[in-house]
Amino acid sequence: MQDPIERFQAMLARATAVDRAMLPEPTAMALGTVGTDGQPAVRIVLLKAVDERGFVFYTNLDSRKGNELRSHPLAALCFHWQVLEEQVRVEGRVERVSDEEADAYFASRPRGSQLGAWASLQSEPVVEPGDLERRLEEVTRRFAGADVPRPPHWSGLRVVPSRIEFWHNQPSRLHVRHRYDREGEGWRISTLYP
């Protein structure tokens, strides 16, 4: 397939169709970033959208990952669907989604998650036990009887891919690997040794 985004979307559809007991969260992806000190960090986040522009996830922009991506706006993603024996790796630059996209997604979240986005000082130390609960009580009172707006420190980030690699397990470790490298408006496809 010439278009790696279409190929990825077809793979994600297959992963999503798998019984949840075997693959509980098909949109889970490892996100790799680099700190200002050069230290790499990896965590699992959830893919919330993918199209020809890239791969979108949402976060507190003041979190560790938000700060790392602000100072070094390059990231790597890895989807691993063990039950399908497939993996997809993505590398590219990171940009913020539009306020309209972030507002629409935030409005679709459960109210508890919306309140949590206001209450949590993501990645900061909890100074005293119960601080998070107190902050949650405060924002719950603040927005009682009203819609919860998107916090200014919370938005979506899009990984705009420059490279996408597809891996499929094969016997004797003779795995199939196809790498797509962006060239202008198109993609150069390479088959890699396993």
Side-chain angles (χ1 to χ4, degrees):
M1 185 177 288
Q2 292 296 313
D3 186 325
I5 300 298
E6 289 179 12
R7 183 172 177 178
F8 175 83
Q9 289 169 328
M11 291 175 75
L12 181 61
R14 286 197 307 276
T16 302
V18 171
D19 184 304
R20 292 292 182 176
M22 299 198 49
L23 183 57
E25 189 48 77
T27 63
M29 58 186 183
L31 166 66
T33 59
V34 176
T36 55
D37 60 357
Q39 175 64 52
V42 178
R43 77 284 288 154
I44 301 296
V45 297
L46 300 180
L47 176 71
K48 293 301 180 181
V50 60
D51 60 22
E52 67 281 351
R53 297 171 297 167
F55 299 75
V56 175
F57 64 95
Y58 288 84
T59 191
N60 180 323
L61 299 173
D62 295 330
S63 66
R64 178 179 176 187
K65 65 183 163 298
N67 286 320
E68 289 176 347
L69 290 168
R70 187 171 28 258
S71 65
H72 191 79
L74 296 171
L77 307 173
C78 184
F79 297 85
H80 183 236
W81 300 303
Q82 179 66 37
V83 68
L84 298 176
E85 299 187 280
E86 293 181 322
Q87 175 176 277
V88 180
R89 295 172 53 207
V90 179
E91 299 171 15
R93 65 180 172 80
V94 176
E95 63 184 25
R96 275 183 67 170
V97 302
S98 69
D99 286 343
E100 294 77 19
E101 288 174 274
D103 289 342
Y105 175 71
F106 190 80
S108 76
R109 299 182 87 204
R111 186 173 181 86
S113 296
Q114 293 174 338
L115 293 168
W118 280 94
S120 176
L121 301 173
Q122 190 175 353
S123 301
E124 293 297 318
V126 175
V127 177
E128 291 185 32
D131 280 354
L132 176 59
E133 293 76 10
R134 282 188 286 281
R135 291 179 59 81
L136 182 58
E137 288 172 12
E138 178 186 311
V139 296
T140 300
R141 281 192 305 276
R142 178 177 168 193
F143 296 115
D147 289 339
V148 181
R150 178 174 60 88
H153 60 267
W154 193 96
S155 191
L157 297 172
R158 177 179 288 112
V159 178
V160 180
S162 56
R163 175 176 290 157
I164 303 176
E165 182 183 319
F166 297 88
W167 174 94
H168 183 76
N169 186 44
Q170 292 294 306
S172 302
R173 300 189 55 80
L174 300 177
H175 313 308
V176 175
R177 293 175 65 192
H178 296 137
R179 188 177 74 204
Y180 292 69
D181 289 286
R182 189 175 292 279
E183 285 189 345
E185 296 299 311
W187 296 90
R188 179 172 40 86
I189 306 171
S190 305
T191 299
L192 305 178
Y193 280 98

